[in-house]
Amino acid sequence: DVKVTQSSRYLVKRTGEKVFLECVQDMDHENMFWYRQDPGLGLRLIYFSYDVKMKEKGDIPEGYSVSREKKERFSLILESASTNQTSMYLCASSFAPLSGGYRTDTQYFGPGTRLTVL
Amino acid sequence: QQQVKQSPQSLIVQKGGISIINCAYENTAFDYFPWYQQFPGKGPALLIAIRPDVSEKKEGRFTISFNKSAKQFSLHIMDSQPGDSATYFCAASKNDYKLSFGAGTTVTVRA
């Protein structure tokens, strides 16, 4: 079974703090993703990485950065947390190697981190 | 701006009934259409997916219907059960790793 784990289920931070959300997958997947989930808006892609050290912006990258130094680990960084970043953050991974025919494959999600910024 | 529009936002169905969720898209480059199911406290999980070379795909009680000319696809849950109560997301992709998700539909199945 693919397992995607996220470092915290719940997190409370203050405005202006630097926040790190960690995600680890154990299936040697090539691709990893960070989404935020808000009621009525579905899942919106923040950043993704299709190879170690390669990253691309998603639909809502403003205020976020990412780091992927090892294949199994993908970190989301909020440089200076703001109240409008209060949300559920979901990490996902997929196989779909760069050399393959299909680049979009099943995404396996972690349980999410509920972040509250006060 | 959401690239995939999903409706309804929520629905309630009696046990044994049929649940129908609809999605529409504009980008004709989309070529992969999955549905994800999410239970409270869990991350979404792939339920069923279709590529546009077929008009229908069935897996157990779950069926995707795809209408390429109308740029619409739908999920039908037959013989709905209380265990199907969850939030369902449609999504679409144009083979660039990324998924564009709909806003989600909360399905409640009453026993």
Side-chain angles (χ1 to χ4, degrees), chain A residues 9 31 33 35 37 40-43 45 48 98 101-104 106-107 109-110, chain B residues 2 32 36 38 41 43-44 46 51 89 93 95-99 101-103:
Chain A
R9 292 302 301 269
N31 314 306
F33 308 82
Y35 294 90
Q37 181 177 6
L41 296 177
L43 282 72
L45 183 64
F48 73 102
L98 195 60
Y102 283 123
R103 293 184 177 175
T104 306
T106 302
Q107 291 189 13
F109 285 83
Chain B
Q2 251 169 337
Y32 174 66
Y36 280 76
Q38 184 180 30
L46 179 68
R51 295 194 186 268
F89 294 96
S93 175
N95 201 30
D96 61 352
Y97 304 104
K98 299 182 287 185
L99 291 173
F101 283 88

PDB file of all heavy atoms in Angstrom, chain A residues 9 31 33 35 37 40-43 45 48 98 101-104 106-107 109-110, chain B residues 2 32 36 38 41 43-44 46 51 89 93 95-99 101-103:
ATOM      1  N   ARG A   9      -1.220  16.692  11.987  1.00  0.00           N
ATOM      2  CA  ARG A   9      -2.629  16.721  11.588  1.00  0.00           C
ATOM      3  C   ARG A   9      -3.227  18.101  11.830  1.00  0.00           C
ATOM      4  O   ARG A   9      -4.076  18.560  11.079  1.00  0.00           O
ATOM      5  CB  ARG A   9      -3.433  15.679  12.367  1.00  0.00           C
ATOM      6  CG  ARG A   9      -3.106  14.246  12.037  1.00  0.00           C
ATOM      7  CD  ARG A   9      -3.308  13.932  10.565  1.00  0.00           C
ATOM      8  NE  ARG A   9      -4.669  14.171  10.111  1.00  0.00           N
ATOM      9  CZ  ARG A   9      -5.635  13.260  10.119  1.00  0.00           C
ATOM     10  NH1 ARG A   9      -5.409  12.055  10.576  1.00  0.00           N
ATOM     11  NH2 ARG A   9      -6.832  13.560   9.661  1.00  0.00           N
ATOM     12  N   ASN A  31       6.704  11.937  -8.526  1.00  0.00           N
ATOM     13  CA  ASN A  31       6.045  13.239  -8.460  1.00  0.00           C
ATOM     14  C   ASN A  31       5.382  13.470  -7.117  1.00  0.00           C
ATOM     15  O   ASN A  31       4.791  12.562  -6.543  1.00  0.00           O
ATOM     16  CB  ASN A  31       4.968  13.320  -9.555  1.00  0.00           C
ATOM     17  CG  ASN A  31       5.481  12.814 -10.882  1.00  0.00           C
ATOM     18  OD1 ASN A  31       6.507  13.265 -11.371  1.00  0.00           O
ATOM     19  ND2 ASN A  31       4.796  11.830 -11.442  1.00  0.00           N
ATOM     20  N   PHE A  33       3.055  16.596  -4.792  1.00  0.00           N
ATOM     21  CA  PHE A  33       2.173  17.757  -4.975  1.00  0.00           C
ATOM     22  C   PHE A  33       1.759  18.325  -3.611  1.00  0.00           C
ATOM     23  O   PHE A  33       1.595  17.577  -2.645  1.00  0.00           O
ATOM     24  CB  PHE A  33       0.887  17.341  -5.704  1.00  0.00           C
ATOM     25  CG  PHE A  33       1.116  16.592  -6.984  1.00  0.00           C
ATOM     26  CD1 PHE A  33       1.390  15.230  -6.979  1.00  0.00           C
ATOM     27  CD2 PHE A  33       1.052  17.254  -8.203  1.00  0.00           C
ATOM     28  CE1 PHE A  33       1.594  14.530  -8.163  1.00  0.00           C
ATOM     29  CE2 PHE A  33       1.253  16.571  -9.390  1.00  0.00           C
ATOM     30  CZ  PHE A  33       1.528  15.211  -9.369  1.00  0.00           C
ATOM     31  N   TYR A  35      -1.467  20.716  -2.220  1.00  0.00           N
ATOM     32  CA  TYR A  35      -2.750  21.360  -2.485  1.00  0.00           C
ATOM     33  C   TYR A  35      -3.239  22.029  -1.203  1.00  0.00           C
ATOM     34  O   TYR A  35      -2.889  21.619  -0.096  1.00  0.00           O
ATOM     35  CB  TYR A  35      -3.819  20.330  -2.860  1.00  0.00           C
ATOM     36  CG  TYR A  35      -3.615  19.591  -4.147  1.00  0.00           C
ATOM     37  CD1 TYR A  35      -2.904  18.390  -4.194  1.00  0.00           C
ATOM     38  CD2 TYR A  35      -4.178  20.056  -5.330  1.00  0.00           C
ATOM     39  CE1 TYR A  35      -2.735  17.698  -5.372  1.00  0.00           C
ATOM     40  CE2 TYR A  35      -4.025  19.355  -6.523  1.00  0.00           C
ATOM     41  CZ  TYR A  35      -3.306  18.188  -6.529  1.00  0.00           C
ATOM     42  OH  TYR A  35      -3.154  17.492  -7.704  1.00  0.00           O
ATOM     43  N   GLN A  37      -7.115  22.822   0.446  1.00  0.00           N
ATOM     44  CA  GLN A  37      -8.527  22.500   0.269  1.00  0.00           C
ATOM     45  C   GLN A  37      -9.356  23.456   1.099  1.00  0.00           C
ATOM     46  O   GLN A  37      -9.190  23.555   2.328  1.00  0.00           O
ATOM     47  CB  GLN A  37      -8.815  21.056   0.717  1.00  0.00           C
ATOM     48  CG  GLN A  37     -10.263  20.654   0.543  1.00  0.00           C
ATOM     49  CD  GLN A  37     -10.512  19.199   0.911  1.00  0.00           C
ATOM     50  OE1 GLN A  37      -9.639  18.500   1.407  1.00  0.00           O
ATOM     51  NE2 GLN A  37     -11.723  18.732   0.645  1.00  0.00           N
ATOM     52  N   GLY A  40     -16.049  24.785  -0.870  1.00  0.00           N
ATOM     53  CA  GLY A  40     -16.592  25.458  -2.043  1.00  0.00           C
ATOM     54  C   GLY A  40     -15.581  25.737  -3.135  1.00  0.00           C
ATOM     55  O   GLY A  40     -15.955  26.188  -4.218  1.00  0.00           O
ATOM     56  N   LEU A  41     -14.304  25.473  -2.860  1.00  0.00           N
ATOM     57  CA  LEU A  41     -13.256  25.731  -3.867  1.00  0.00           C
ATOM     58  C   LEU A  41     -12.548  24.449  -4.297  1.00  0.00           C
ATOM     59  O   LEU A  41     -11.717  24.482  -5.204  1.00  0.00           O
ATOM     60  CB  LEU A  41     -12.221  26.716  -3.311  1.00  0.00           C
ATOM     61  CG  LEU A  41     -12.741  28.114  -3.008  1.00  0.00           C
ATOM     62  CD1 LEU A  41     -11.632  28.973  -2.395  1.00  0.00           C
ATOM     63  CD2 LEU A  41     -13.274  28.792  -4.271  1.00  0.00           C
ATOM     64  N   GLY A  42     -12.842  23.346  -3.658  1.00  0.00           N
ATOM     65  CA  GLY A  42     -12.189  22.092  -4.014  1.00  0.00           C
ATOM     66  C   GLY A  42     -10.722  22.090  -3.616  1.00  0.00           C
ATOM     67  O   GLY A  42     -10.327  22.729  -2.636  1.00  0.00           O
ATOM     68  N   LEU A  43      -9.915  21.378  -4.393  1.00  0.00           N
ATOM     69  CA  LEU A  43      -8.477  21.311  -4.155  1.00  0.00           C
ATOM     70  C   LEU A  43      -7.786  22.199  -5.182  1.00  0.00           C
ATOM     71  O   LEU A  43      -8.043  22.097  -6.380  1.00  0.00           O
ATOM     72  CB  LEU A  43      -7.964  19.873  -4.331  1.00  0.00           C
ATOM     73  CG  LEU A  43      -8.204  18.893  -3.197  1.00  0.00           C
ATOM     74  CD1 LEU A  43      -9.668  18.493  -3.083  1.00  0.00           C
ATOM     75  CD2 LEU A  43      -7.334  17.656  -3.389  1.00  0.00           C
ATOM     76  N   LEU A  45      -4.008  23.480  -6.574  1.00  0.00           N
ATOM     77  CA  LEU A  45      -2.596  23.104  -6.585  1.00  0.00           C
ATOM     78  C   LEU A  45      -1.711  24.311  -6.260  1.00  0.00           C
ATOM     79  O   LEU A  45      -1.803  25.356  -6.905  1.00  0.00           O
ATOM     80  CB  LEU A  45      -2.228  22.541  -7.951  1.00  0.00           C
ATOM     81  CG  LEU A  45      -0.809  22.037  -8.125  1.00  0.00           C
ATOM     82  CD1 LEU A  45      -0.528  20.840  -7.215  1.00  0.00           C
ATOM     83  CD2 LEU A  45      -0.560  21.652  -9.583  1.00  0.00           C
ATOM     84  N   PHE A  48       4.139  21.692  -7.389  1.00  0.00           N
ATOM     85  CA  PHE A  48       4.414  20.279  -7.543  1.00  0.00           C
ATOM     86  C   PHE A  48       5.858  20.073  -7.980  1.00  0.00           C
ATOM     87  O   PHE A  48       6.535  21.007  -8.436  1.00  0.00           O
ATOM     88  CB  PHE A  48       3.419  19.615  -8.498  1.00  0.00           C
ATOM     89  CG  PHE A  48       3.608  19.945  -9.955  1.00  0.00           C
ATOM     90  CD1 PHE A  48       4.228  19.046 -10.808  1.00  0.00           C
ATOM     91  CD2 PHE A  48       3.131  21.142 -10.476  1.00  0.00           C
ATOM     92  CE1 PHE A  48       4.380  19.336 -12.152  1.00  0.00           C
ATOM     93  CE2 PHE A  48       3.271  21.431 -11.816  1.00  0.00           C
ATOM     94  CZ  PHE A  48       3.901  20.534 -12.666  1.00  0.00           C
ATOM     95  N   LEU A  98       9.060  10.785 -15.774  1.00  0.00           N
ATOM     96  CA  LEU A  98       9.269  11.772 -16.838  1.00  0.00           C
ATOM     97  C   LEU A  98       9.399  11.095 -18.200  1.00  0.00           C
ATOM     98  O   LEU A  98       8.971  11.612 -19.230  1.00  0.00           O
ATOM     99  CB  LEU A  98      10.542  12.563 -16.523  1.00  0.00           C
ATOM    100  CG  LEU A  98      10.790  13.862 -17.281  1.00  0.00           C
ATOM    101  CD1 LEU A  98       9.662  14.836 -17.021  1.00  0.00           C
ATOM    102  CD2 LEU A  98      12.117  14.468 -16.852  1.00  0.00           C
ATOM    103  N   GLY A 101       4.863   7.480 -20.989  1.00  0.00           N
ATOM    104  CA  GLY A 101       3.908   8.044 -21.936  1.00  0.00           C
ATOM    105  C   GLY A 101       2.893   8.929 -21.250  1.00  0.00           C
ATOM    106  O   GLY A 101       2.592  10.026 -21.716  1.00  0.00           O
ATOM    107  N   TYR A 102       2.323   8.446 -20.137  1.00  0.00           N
ATOM    108  CA  TYR A 102       1.337   9.222 -19.406  1.00  0.00           C
ATOM    109  C   TYR A 102       2.017   9.947 -18.255  1.00  0.00           C
ATOM    110  O   TYR A 102       2.662   9.321 -17.420  1.00  0.00           O
ATOM    111  CB  TYR A 102       0.238   8.310 -18.847  1.00  0.00           C
ATOM    112  CG  TYR A 102      -0.750   7.862 -19.889  1.00  0.00           C
ATOM    113  CD1 TYR A 102      -0.968   6.513 -20.132  1.00  0.00           C
ATOM    114  CD2 TYR A 102      -1.469   8.791 -20.634  1.00  0.00           C
ATOM    115  CE1 TYR A 102      -1.877   6.104 -21.085  1.00  0.00           C
ATOM    116  CE2 TYR A 102      -2.379   8.380 -21.589  1.00  0.00           C
ATOM    117  CZ  TYR A 102      -2.583   7.039 -21.812  1.00  0.00           C
ATOM    118  OH  TYR A 102      -3.475   6.629 -22.757  1.00  0.00           O
ATOM    119  N   ARG A 103       1.871  11.249 -18.234  1.00  0.00           N
ATOM    120  CA  ARG A 103       2.470  12.021 -17.151  1.00  0.00           C
ATOM    121  C   ARG A 103       1.508  12.188 -15.988  1.00  0.00           C
ATOM    122  O   ARG A 103       1.918  12.513 -14.896  1.00  0.00           O
ATOM    123  CB  ARG A 103       2.917  13.388 -17.660  1.00  0.00           C
ATOM    124  CG  ARG A 103       4.061  13.280 -18.629  1.00  0.00           C
ATOM    125  CD  ARG A 103       4.563  14.617 -19.056  1.00  0.00           C
ATOM    126  NE  ARG A 103       5.718  14.471 -19.928  1.00  0.00           N
ATOM    127  CZ  ARG A 103       6.322  15.474 -20.531  1.00  0.00           C
ATOM    128  NH1 ARG A 103       5.885  16.703 -20.347  1.00  0.00           N
ATOM    129  NH2 ARG A 103       7.364  15.246 -21.302  1.00  0.00           N
ATOM    130  N   THR A 104       0.218  12.005 -16.273  1.00  0.00           N
ATOM    131  CA  THR A 104      -0.762  12.156 -15.195  1.00  0.00           C
ATOM    132  C   THR A 104      -1.204  10.769 -14.761  1.00  0.00           C
ATOM    133  O   THR A 104      -1.689   9.987 -15.558  1.00  0.00           O
ATOM    134  CB  THR A 104      -1.956  12.985 -15.652  1.00  0.00           C
ATOM    135  OG1 THR A 104      -1.485  14.230 -16.166  1.00  0.00           O
ATOM    136  CG2 THR A 104      -2.881  13.265 -14.484  1.00  0.00           C
ATOM    137  N   THR A 106      -2.485   8.188 -11.120  1.00  0.00           N
ATOM    138  CA  THR A 106      -3.200   8.226  -9.843  1.00  0.00           C
ATOM    139  C   THR A 106      -2.382   8.984  -8.812  1.00  0.00           C
ATOM    140  O   THR A 106      -1.184   8.721  -8.642  1.00  0.00           O
ATOM    141  CB  THR A 106      -3.439   6.798  -9.334  1.00  0.00           C
ATOM    142  OG1 THR A 106      -4.167   6.075 -10.314  1.00  0.00           O
ATOM    143  CG2 THR A 106      -4.189   6.816  -8.016  1.00  0.00           C
ATOM    144  N   GLN A 107      -3.045   9.914  -8.146  1.00  0.00           N
ATOM    145  CA  GLN A 107      -2.381  10.630  -7.058  1.00  0.00           C
ATOM    146  C   GLN A 107      -2.845  10.028  -5.735  1.00  0.00           C
ATOM    147  O   GLN A 107      -4.030   9.789  -5.530  1.00  0.00           O
ATOM    148  CB  GLN A 107      -2.696  12.123  -7.124  1.00  0.00           C
ATOM    149  CG  GLN A 107      -2.050  12.781  -8.333  1.00  0.00           C
ATOM    150  CD  GLN A 107      -2.144  14.294  -8.321  1.00  0.00           C
ATOM    151  OE1 GLN A 107      -2.477  14.920  -7.313  1.00  0.00           O
ATOM    152  NE2 GLN A 107      -1.837  14.901  -9.456  1.00  0.00           N
ATOM    153  N   PHE A 109      -3.002  10.544  -1.728  1.00  0.00           N
ATOM    154  CA  PHE A 109      -3.014  11.680  -0.803  1.00  0.00           C
ATOM    155  C   PHE A 109      -2.697  11.274   0.633  1.00  0.00           C
ATOM    156  O   PHE A 109      -3.063  10.193   1.089  1.00  0.00           O
ATOM    157  CB  PHE A 109      -4.392  12.356  -0.819  1.00  0.00           C
ATOM    158  CG  PHE A 109      -4.642  13.178  -2.045  1.00  0.00           C
ATOM    159  CD1 PHE A 109      -5.082  12.594  -3.218  1.00  0.00           C
ATOM    160  CD2 PHE A 109      -4.415  14.553  -2.027  1.00  0.00           C
ATOM    161  CE1 PHE A 109      -5.307  13.360  -4.363  1.00  0.00           C
ATOM    162  CE2 PHE A 109      -4.638  15.325  -3.157  1.00  0.00           C
ATOM    163  CZ  PHE A 109      -5.084  14.729  -4.324  1.00  0.00           C
ATOM    164  N   GLY A 110      -2.063  12.192   1.343  1.00  0.00           N
ATOM    165  CA  GLY A 110      -1.922  12.075   2.779  1.00  0.00           C
ATOM    166  C   GLY A 110      -3.212  12.506   3.470  1.00  0.00           C
ATOM    167  O   GLY A 110      -4.151  12.948   2.811  1.00  0.00           O
TER     168      GLY A 110
ATOM    169  N   GLN B   2     -12.040  28.271 -11.751  1.00  0.00           N
ATOM    170  CA  GLN B   2     -11.982  26.823 -11.812  1.00  0.00           C
ATOM    171  C   GLN B   2     -12.162  26.338 -13.233  1.00  0.00           C
ATOM    172  O   GLN B   2     -13.082  26.759 -13.941  1.00  0.00           O
ATOM    173  CB  GLN B   2     -13.057  26.230 -10.896  1.00  0.00           C
ATOM    174  CG  GLN B   2     -12.443  25.603  -9.694  1.00  0.00           C
ATOM    175  CD  GLN B   2     -13.368  25.221  -8.590  1.00  0.00           C
ATOM    176  OE1 GLN B   2     -14.453  25.722  -8.440  1.00  0.00           O
ATOM    177  NE2 GLN B   2     -12.879  24.330  -7.760  1.00  0.00           N
ATOM    178  N   TYR B  32      -7.813  13.175 -19.453  1.00  0.00           N
ATOM    179  CA  TYR B  32      -7.875  12.210 -18.359  1.00  0.00           C
ATOM    180  C   TYR B  32      -8.832  12.784 -17.329  1.00  0.00           C
ATOM    181  O   TYR B  32      -8.677  13.947 -16.918  1.00  0.00           O
ATOM    182  CB  TYR B  32      -6.467  12.006 -17.774  1.00  0.00           C
ATOM    183  CG  TYR B  32      -6.394  11.131 -16.545  1.00  0.00           C
ATOM    184  CD1 TYR B  32      -6.697   9.772 -16.599  1.00  0.00           C
ATOM    185  CD2 TYR B  32      -5.999  11.666 -15.322  1.00  0.00           C
ATOM    186  CE1 TYR B  32      -6.607   8.978 -15.465  1.00  0.00           C
ATOM    187  CE2 TYR B  32      -5.919  10.883 -14.188  1.00  0.00           C
ATOM    188  CZ  TYR B  32      -6.217   9.542 -14.260  1.00  0.00           C
ATOM    189  OH  TYR B  32      -6.134   8.749 -13.144  1.00  0.00           O
ATOM    190  N   TYR B  36     -12.410  11.389  -7.446  1.00  0.00           N
ATOM    191  CA  TYR B  36     -11.829  11.069  -6.158  1.00  0.00           C
ATOM    192  C   TYR B  36     -12.926  11.110  -5.092  1.00  0.00           C
ATOM    193  O   TYR B  36     -13.850  11.923  -5.154  1.00  0.00           O
ATOM    194  CB  TYR B  36     -10.705  12.061  -5.795  1.00  0.00           C
ATOM    195  CG  TYR B  36      -9.393  11.754  -6.484  1.00  0.00           C
ATOM    196  CD1 TYR B  36      -9.197  12.050  -7.831  1.00  0.00           C
ATOM    197  CD2 TYR B  36      -8.354  11.138  -5.789  1.00  0.00           C
ATOM    198  CE1 TYR B  36      -7.991  11.753  -8.459  1.00  0.00           C
ATOM    199  CE2 TYR B  36      -7.150  10.839  -6.406  1.00  0.00           C
ATOM    200  CZ  TYR B  36      -6.977  11.150  -7.744  1.00  0.00           C
ATOM    201  OH  TYR B  36      -5.784  10.844  -8.366  1.00  0.00           O
ATOM    202  N   GLN B  38     -13.606  11.321  -0.890  1.00  0.00           N
ATOM    203  CA  GLN B  38     -12.960  11.728   0.353  1.00  0.00           C
ATOM    204  C   GLN B  38     -13.920  11.540   1.527  1.00  0.00           C
ATOM    205  O   GLN B  38     -15.011  12.110   1.546  1.00  0.00           O
ATOM    206  CB  GLN B  38     -12.514  13.189   0.277  1.00  0.00           C
ATOM    207  CG  GLN B  38     -11.749  13.653   1.514  1.00  0.00           C
ATOM    208  CD  GLN B  38     -11.314  15.104   1.422  1.00  0.00           C
ATOM    209  OE1 GLN B  38     -11.966  15.928   0.796  1.00  0.00           O
ATOM    210  NE2 GLN B  38     -10.186  15.434   2.056  1.00  0.00           N
ATOM    211  N   GLY B  41     -11.867  13.475   7.555  1.00  0.00           N
ATOM    212  CA  GLY B  41     -10.614  13.193   8.243  1.00  0.00           C
ATOM    213  C   GLY B  41      -9.588  12.449   7.407  1.00  0.00           C
ATOM    214  O   GLY B  41      -8.504  12.112   7.898  1.00  0.00           O
ATOM    215  N   GLY B  43      -7.585  11.899   3.373  1.00  0.00           N
ATOM    216  CA  GLY B  43      -7.300  12.515   2.094  1.00  0.00           C
ATOM    217  C   GLY B  43      -8.142  11.866   1.003  1.00  0.00           C
ATOM    218  O   GLY B  43      -8.637  10.760   1.167  1.00  0.00           O
ATOM    219  N   PRO B  44      -8.310  12.553  -0.137  1.00  0.00           N
ATOM    220  CA  PRO B  44      -9.057  11.956  -1.252  1.00  0.00           C
ATOM    221  C   PRO B  44      -8.360  10.703  -1.765  1.00  0.00           C
ATOM    222  O   PRO B  44      -7.135  10.571  -1.663  1.00  0.00           O
ATOM    223  CB  PRO B  44      -9.028  13.067  -2.316  1.00  0.00           C
ATOM    224  CG  PRO B  44      -8.723  14.316  -1.571  1.00  0.00           C
ATOM    225  CD  PRO B  44      -7.856  13.907  -0.420  1.00  0.00           C
ATOM    226  N   LEU B  46      -8.513   7.871  -5.227  1.00  0.00           N
ATOM    227  CA  LEU B  46      -9.066   7.636  -6.563  1.00  0.00           C
ATOM    228  C   LEU B  46     -10.179   6.604  -6.502  1.00  0.00           C
ATOM    229  O   LEU B  46     -10.010   5.522  -5.938  1.00  0.00           O
ATOM    230  CB  LEU B  46      -7.975   7.156  -7.510  1.00  0.00           C
ATOM    231  CG  LEU B  46      -8.445   6.862  -8.928  1.00  0.00           C
ATOM    232  CD1 LEU B  46      -8.847   8.149  -9.637  1.00  0.00           C
ATOM    233  CD2 LEU B  46      -7.373   6.126  -9.730  1.00  0.00           C
ATOM    234  N   ARG B  51     -10.601   7.867 -19.788  1.00  0.00           N
ATOM    235  CA  ARG B  51      -9.942   8.648 -20.840  1.00  0.00           C
ATOM    236  C   ARG B  51     -10.939   8.791 -21.971  1.00  0.00           C
ATOM    237  O   ARG B  51     -11.838   7.965 -22.135  1.00  0.00           O
ATOM    238  CB  ARG B  51      -8.644   7.969 -21.276  1.00  0.00           C
ATOM    239  CG  ARG B  51      -7.623   7.928 -20.154  1.00  0.00           C
ATOM    240  CD  ARG B  51      -6.215   7.591 -20.603  1.00  0.00           C
ATOM    241  NE  ARG B  51      -5.323   7.443 -19.453  1.00  0.00           N
ATOM    242  CZ  ARG B  51      -4.600   8.428 -18.932  1.00  0.00           C
ATOM    243  NH1 ARG B  51      -4.639   9.634 -19.455  1.00  0.00           N
ATOM    244  NH2 ARG B  51      -3.813   8.218 -17.886  1.00  0.00           N
ATOM    245  N   PHE B  89     -15.017  14.444  -5.729  1.00  0.00           N
ATOM    246  CA  PHE B  89     -14.400  15.475  -6.563  1.00  0.00           C
ATOM    247  C   PHE B  89     -14.177  14.916  -7.964  1.00  0.00           C
ATOM    248  O   PHE B  89     -13.580  13.842  -8.125  1.00  0.00           O
ATOM    249  CB  PHE B  89     -13.039  15.896  -6.010  1.00  0.00           C
ATOM    250  CG  PHE B  89     -13.096  16.585  -4.682  1.00  0.00           C
ATOM    251  CD1 PHE B  89     -12.899  15.879  -3.502  1.00  0.00           C
ATOM    252  CD2 PHE B  89     -13.328  17.955  -4.608  1.00  0.00           C
ATOM    253  CE1 PHE B  89     -12.949  16.516  -2.276  1.00  0.00           C
ATOM    254  CE2 PHE B  89     -13.374  18.604  -3.383  1.00  0.00           C
ATOM    255  CZ  PHE B  89     -13.181  17.881  -2.210  1.00  0.00           C
ATOM    256  N   SER B  93      -7.220  16.473 -16.491  1.00  0.00           N
ATOM    257  CA  SER B  93      -5.801  16.719 -16.698  1.00  0.00           C
ATOM    258  C   SER B  93      -5.474  16.677 -18.185  1.00  0.00           C
ATOM    259  O   SER B  93      -6.138  15.980 -18.954  1.00  0.00           O
ATOM    260  CB  SER B  93      -4.977  15.655 -15.976  1.00  0.00           C
ATOM    261  OG  SER B  93      -3.600  15.810 -16.252  1.00  0.00           O
ATOM    262  N   ASN B  95      -2.362  15.754 -19.320  1.00  0.00           N
ATOM    263  CA  ASN B  95      -1.126  14.990 -19.389  1.00  0.00           C
ATOM    264  C   ASN B  95       0.111  15.831 -19.053  1.00  0.00           C
ATOM    265  O   ASN B  95       1.139  15.748 -19.719  1.00  0.00           O
ATOM    266  CB  ASN B  95      -0.959  14.336 -20.771  1.00  0.00           C
ATOM    267  CG  ASN B  95      -0.004  13.153 -20.726  1.00  0.00           C
ATOM    268  OD1 ASN B  95       0.104  12.477 -19.698  1.00  0.00           O
ATOM    269  ND2 ASN B  95       0.700  12.898 -21.802  1.00  0.00           N
ATOM    270  N   ASP B  96      -0.034  16.671 -18.027  1.00  0.00           N
ATOM    271  CA  ASP B  96       1.081  17.514 -17.602  1.00  0.00           C
ATOM    272  C   ASP B  96       1.309  17.369 -16.100  1.00  0.00           C
ATOM    273  O   ASP B  96       1.738  18.323 -15.452  1.00  0.00           O
ATOM    274  CB  ASP B  96       0.811  18.974 -17.968  1.00  0.00           C
ATOM    275  CG  ASP B  96      -0.439  19.535 -17.294  1.00  0.00           C
ATOM    276  OD1 ASP B  96      -1.176  18.747 -16.665  1.00  0.00           O
ATOM    277  OD2 ASP B  96      -0.673  20.752 -17.398  1.00  0.00           O
ATOM    278  N   TYR B  97       1.041  16.184 -15.587  1.00  0.00           N
ATOM    279  CA  TYR B  97       1.176  15.835 -14.170  1.00  0.00           C
ATOM    280  C   TYR B  97       0.045  16.393 -13.311  1.00  0.00           C
ATOM    281  O   TYR B  97      -0.310  15.804 -12.310  1.00  0.00           O
ATOM    282  CB  TYR B  97       2.497  16.332 -13.549  1.00  0.00           C
ATOM    283  CG  TYR B  97       3.739  15.871 -14.258  1.00  0.00           C
ATOM    284  CD1 TYR B  97       4.454  16.735 -15.077  1.00  0.00           C
ATOM    285  CD2 TYR B  97       4.197  14.569 -14.111  1.00  0.00           C
ATOM    286  CE1 TYR B  97       5.596  16.311 -15.738  1.00  0.00           C
ATOM    287  CE2 TYR B  97       5.348  14.141 -14.763  1.00  0.00           C
ATOM    288  CZ  TYR B  97       6.034  15.022 -15.574  1.00  0.00           C
ATOM    289  OH  TYR B  97       7.164  14.612 -16.221  1.00  0.00           O
ATOM    290  N   LYS B  98      -0.507  17.540 -13.697  1.00  0.00           N
ATOM    291  CA  LYS B  98      -1.415  18.259 -12.809  1.00  0.00           C
ATOM    292  C   LYS B  98      -2.865  17.835 -12.992  1.00  0.00           C
ATOM    293  O   LYS B  98      -3.279  17.468 -14.090  1.00  0.00           O
ATOM    294  CB  LYS B  98      -1.297  19.769 -13.060  1.00  0.00           C
ATOM    295  CG  LYS B  98       0.084  20.317 -12.793  1.00  0.00           C
ATOM    296  CD  LYS B  98       0.132  21.815 -13.016  1.00  0.00           C
ATOM    297  CE  LYS B  98       0.090  22.146 -14.482  1.00  0.00           C
ATOM    298  NZ  LYS B  98       0.267  23.609 -14.693  1.00  0.00           N
ATOM    299  N   LEU B  99      -3.618  17.910 -11.902  1.00  0.00           N
ATOM    300  CA  LEU B  99      -5.061  17.710 -11.933  1.00  0.00           C
ATOM    301  C   LEU B  99      -5.754  19.025 -11.601  1.00  0.00           C
ATOM    302  O   LEU B  99      -5.344  19.717 -10.672  1.00  0.00           O
ATOM    303  CB  LEU B  99      -5.481  16.653 -10.913  1.00  0.00           C
ATOM    304  CG  LEU B  99      -5.078  15.200 -11.187  1.00  0.00           C
ATOM    305  CD1 LEU B  99      -5.436  14.333  -9.988  1.00  0.00           C
ATOM    306  CD2 LEU B  99      -5.761  14.682 -12.437  1.00  0.00           C
ATOM    307  N   PHE B 101      -9.223  20.237 -10.170  1.00  0.00           N
ATOM    308  CA  PHE B 101     -10.339  19.643  -9.452  1.00  0.00           C
ATOM    309  C   PHE B 101     -11.571  20.525  -9.510  1.00  0.00           C
ATOM    310  O   PHE B 101     -11.481  21.758  -9.543  1.00  0.00           O
ATOM    311  CB  PHE B 101      -9.973  19.435  -7.972  1.00  0.00           C
ATOM    312  CG  PHE B 101      -9.079  18.261  -7.725  1.00  0.00           C
ATOM    313  CD1 PHE B 101      -7.700  18.386  -7.792  1.00  0.00           C
ATOM    314  CD2 PHE B 101      -9.614  17.019  -7.410  1.00  0.00           C
ATOM    315  CE1 PHE B 101      -6.871  17.304  -7.552  1.00  0.00           C
ATOM    316  CE2 PHE B 101      -8.798  15.922  -7.169  1.00  0.00           C
ATOM    317  CZ  PHE B 101      -7.431  16.068  -7.246  1.00  0.00           C
ATOM    318  N   GLY B 102     -12.748  19.869  -9.479  1.00  0.00           N
ATOM    319  CA  GLY B 102     -13.990  20.581  -9.257  1.00  0.00           C
ATOM    320  C   GLY B 102     -14.126  20.957  -7.792  1.00  0.00           C
ATOM    321  O   GLY B 102     -13.293  20.583  -6.963  1.00  0.00           O
ATOM    322  N   ALA B 103     -15.200  21.662  -7.465  1.00  0.00           N
ATOM    323  CA  ALA B 103     -15.379  22.191  -6.110  1.00  0.00           C
ATOM    324  C   ALA B 103     -15.826  21.131  -5.107  1.00  0.00           C
ATOM    325  O   ALA B 103     -15.735  21.343  -3.905  1.00  0.00           O
ATOM    326  CB  ALA B 103     -16.379  23.339  -6.128  1.00  0.00           C
TER     327      ALA B 103
END
